[in-house]
Amino acid sequence: MQAFLDLLNNVTPGLLQGTVITLQIAAVSLLLGMAIGLPVGVGRVYGPVWLQRVLGAYVTLFQGTPLLIQLFVVYYGLPDLGLTFGRMEAAFLTLGLNSGAYQAEYLRGALQSVSEGQMTAARAIGMSKWQAIRSIILPQALRLVLPAWSNEVIAMLKNTAVVFVIAVPDLMTQAKNLSSRYFAPIPIYMTVAVFYIILVGAVYLILRQVERRVQIPGLTGDAESAA
Amino acid sequence: MTTTPILRIDDVYKSFGATQVLKGFSLSIQPQEVVVLVGPSGSGKSTLLRCINLLHPPTSGRIWLEEEEITAPGVNHDRVRQRIGMVFQDFNLFTHLTALGNVMIGLTKVRKMHKKEAHDLAMFELERVGLVDRAGHYPAQLSGGQKQRVAIARALGMDPHIMLFDEPTSALDPELTGEVLEVMQQLAKEGMTMIVVSHEMGFARQVASRVVFMEGGVVVEEGPPQQMFEQPKYERTRAFLRKITDLEGDEK
């Protein structure tokens, strides 16, 4: 036991540094993914047919191939085309593009589940299609997308671990390096697993709060009674 | 009745794919008229209302709103719809906004009013439908009758020149229809021009200036309510009106 506590004492600073990097990658990638997913999701539902096809191809590409391959292509493949990225940039870009595809799909589902009458009523008071999307459809769809989006945040926190293959010093990479330095892979990976669980748990609790906060009064009523 | 009609519908056809719903529908409406439109289901009543406000522009035929031919090419449909209020069978209130928000959003986003001004006008419209005390409630917290009254206030806020009602009480429990019909009657009294698709025959008798019976996408017969109910020209009109009047009698 004392040996484990000593080990923990030695590795914790490194793991905390890794955690900061992991959070940074997750946050930037999620924001980038949102910046991509929002217009892509809207375009896939309300855009002209040709645009829907193009955006559909993007989504299929990133949902249909392993994240690891995407990361290799961005970091090792694109330099052949003259596009060179630093490690962190490659991580942001790959995870952001990947997350964008998933976020677009979640949003598409949410947009399609807003009843058609909402659009009709908005048009009937003289709103243009885009005004209706912005003021009426999106505020409802974004509420509906929150549970799926929470899953995406959680998946992202763990997906960041792939960046160890391009040696970004995130939590996973730190774990790998520290476990070979101290010859104690199992205790260290178990500790790292606990780190991830704490991160995911904290994010989950925060997002539940957000969901509750933006809930439309009277619509379901279950959050209040559950709380 | 020599004034210019506020709305003139001339030989309108509307098809959805191979299905022809309106087959040469024509009707003129004078300012301040209340026209109750009746007809069997599938006769094209809702489609007609959606043609009038260009939610489903006609396949052919022309429609004039006041002096303007709204079916002419190049007409801004969004602007036309501002002048035509529409109330739906299933209310279609914006679920994420309060009653007040539902009335205000068109004022701020479409009429570009300032918040304060929009708020005051929205409260005034809610007052007209008797719902000032529900201003802060969300649609899911309102009864069906209240929702429909908010929907009427929302349409009124746009300052429409004519109002279309698409079966405004059909989705309501019988005890809630009264409050909605009262608001509509009040509007008629204030001089609002209205086209009402409804099978509320009591309302038609009391409030309508004309009853139009349509079937198969065309007008079969029209006239003042008394004439339509008591001495219709066609047997078909008599049979239909008797049937819905009887049904209504059973319910009440």
Side-chain angles (χ1 to χ4, degrees):
Chain A
M1 190 63 199
Q2 188 55 44
F4 177 70
L5 288 179
D6 287 343
L7 178 68
L8 208 55
N9 210 26
N10 287 327
V11 300
T12 300
L15 293 183
L16 285 177
Q17 279 172 24
T19 303
V20 171
I21 303 282
T22 289
L23 284 174
Q24 207 177 337
I25 295 172
V28 173
S29 304
L30 280 166
L31 287 175
L32 181 60
M34 204 186 300
I36 295 169
L38 193 74
V40 171
V42 171
R44 283 204 76 191
V45 179
Y46 294 106
V49 175
W50 66 265
L51 184 64
Q52 294 187 17
R53 294 232 173 92
V54 172
L55 299 176
Y58 154 70
V59 169
T60 307
L61 185 65
F62 279 88
Q63 283 195 324
T65 55
L67 182 54
L68 199 53
I69 293 181
Q70 293 165 18
L71 187 62
F72 278 143
V73 169
V74 168
Y75 189 67
Y76 297 112
L78 291 185
D80 290 346
L81 303 174
L83 285 168
T84 308
F85 300 100
R87 294 174 204 283
M88 283 299 265
E89 286 74 26
F92 293 152
L93 187 64
T94 309
L95 286 162
L97 282 167
N98 182 276
S99 181
Y102 281 92
Q103 293 191 44
E105 278 303 272
Y106 296 141
L107 184 61
R108 183 170 70 93
L111 288 167
Q112 284 169 340
S113 61
V114 173
S115 95
E116 217 172 299
Q118 297 287 305
M119 177 58 96
T120 310
R123 301 306 303 275
I125 56 171
M127 284 193 186
S128 69
K129 185 173 164 187
W130 294 108
Q131 260 180 335
I133 291 169
R134 219 175 44 228
S135 309
I136 306 299
I137 308 296
L138 269 179
Q140 298 183 42
L142 291 176
R143 285 177 169 90
L144 292 172
V145 87
L146 260 179
W149 196 78
S150 302
N151 283 338
E152 173 62 16
V153 175
I154 288 165
M156 171 63 81
L157 276 171
K158 294 173 295 170
N159 280 344
T160 52
V162 300
V163 302
F164 93 94
V165 301
I166 59 169
V168 171
D170 76 322
L171 186 52
M172 186 66 193
T173 306
Q174 294 284 8
K176 181 169 150 266
N177 294 344
L178 292 168
S179 66
S180 41
R181 186 184 313 160
Y182 292 96
F183 304 106
I186 297 302
I188 289 178
Y189 281 119
M190 294 302 280
T191 306
V192 166
V194 171
F195 270 59
Y196 277 108
I197 285 186
I198 291 170
L199 292 182
V200 168
V203 164
Y204 176 81
L205 289 177
I206 292 169
L207 289 171
R208 282 300 309 220
Q209 277 307 315
V210 173
E211 256 177 67
R212 215 161 284 178
R213 189 71 58 84
V214 300
Q215 197 185 30
I216 299 165
L219 210 54
T220 51
D222 61 350
E224 276 153 69
S225 50
Chain B
M1 296 276 250
T2 49
T3 42
T4 345
I6 187 167
L7 185 77
R8 189 148 70 86
I9 304 163
D10 186 24
D11 202 25
V12 160
Y13 285 77
K14 178 66 188 179
S15 306
F16 295 98
T19 318
Q20 199 172 45
V21 182
L22 296 179
K23 301 169 185 170
F25 187 97
S26 298
L27 188 70
S28 275
I29 292 169
Q30 298 296 325
Q32 312 206 336
E33 257 197 306
V34 176
V35 172
V36 170
L37 196 59
V38 298
S41 84
S43 58
K45 301 170 305 239
S46 292
T47 303
L48 177 71
L49 294 191
R50 278 153 210 258
C51 278
I52 293 172
N53 78 353
L54 305 175
L55 281 171
H56 296 316
T59 310
S60 74
R62 307 207 280 176
I63 300 173
W64 282 264
L65 179 63
E66 289 152 336
E67 302 295 307
E68 185 188 6
E69 190 201 331
I70 59 175
T71 43
V75 170
N76 181 336
H77 290 190
D78 299 332
R79 237 193 53 245
V80 169
R81 288 195 201 100
Q82 284 179 51
R83 288 188 281 154
I84 304 176
M86 178 129 181
V87 173
F88 302 90
Q89 180 176 351
D90 41 9
F91 330 124
N92 290 339
L93 286 186
F94 304 133
T95 54
H96 63 303
L97 299 173
T98 60
L100 180 66
N102 266 275
V103 185
M104 270 179 75
I105 195 150
L107 305 181
T108 53
K109 301 286 174 189
V110 180
R111 291 183 70 186
K112 310 282 181 203
M113 285 184 172
H114 290 293
K115 260 224 158 85
K116 171 85 178 75
E117 198 188 349
H119 175 272
D120 294 349
L121 178 56
M123 288 304 275
F124 169 77
E125 300 298 357
L126 285 175
E127 173 109 59
R128 273 174 97 177
V129 299
L131 284 174
V132 169
D133 59 328
R134 291 287 182 276
H137 285 56
Y138 284 83
Q141 300 168 316
L142 298 171
S143 72
Q146 291 170 338
K147 282 186 213 176
Q148 195 59 297
R149 283 147 68 198
V150 172
I152 293 172
R154 174 175 69 182
L156 286 173
M158 302 311 291
D159 198 15
H161 299 198
I162 181 169
M163 293 265 288
L164 312 177
F165 292 85
D166 190 3
E167 306 208 27
T169 57
S170 303
L172 297 176
D173 292 335
E175 71 265 31
L176 298 177
T177 59
E179 57 187 85
V180 173
L181 293 175
E182 257 169 54
V183 167
M184 291 168 62
Q185 188 160 6
Q186 184 58 35
L187 273 180
K189 212 181 286 175
E190 290 167 16
M192 178 62 76
T193 311
M194 305 176 12
I195 303 180
V196 184
V197 171
S198 174
H199 291 159
E200 294 285 344
M201 289 303 107
F203 178 82
R205 275 178 206 275
Q206 282 176 37
V207 184
S209 19
R210 250 193 305 166
V211 173
V212 173
F213 172 51
M214 74 181 287
E215 186 167 38
V218 293
V219 174
V220 175
E221 183 170 357
E222 55 158 308
Q226 199 177 357
Q227 179 197 317
M228 290 290 280
F229 286 110
E230 281 153 31
Q231 319 130 335
K233 263 184 266 167
Y234 298 104
E235 184 47 38
R236 179 71 193 116
T237 312
R238 184 193 304 278
F240 181 80
L241 288 176
R242 176 165 311 147
K243 197 153 72 182
I244 56 176
T245 311
D246 285 353
L247 280 175
E248 202 174 50
D250 284 348
E251 263 175 35
K252 286 180 179 164

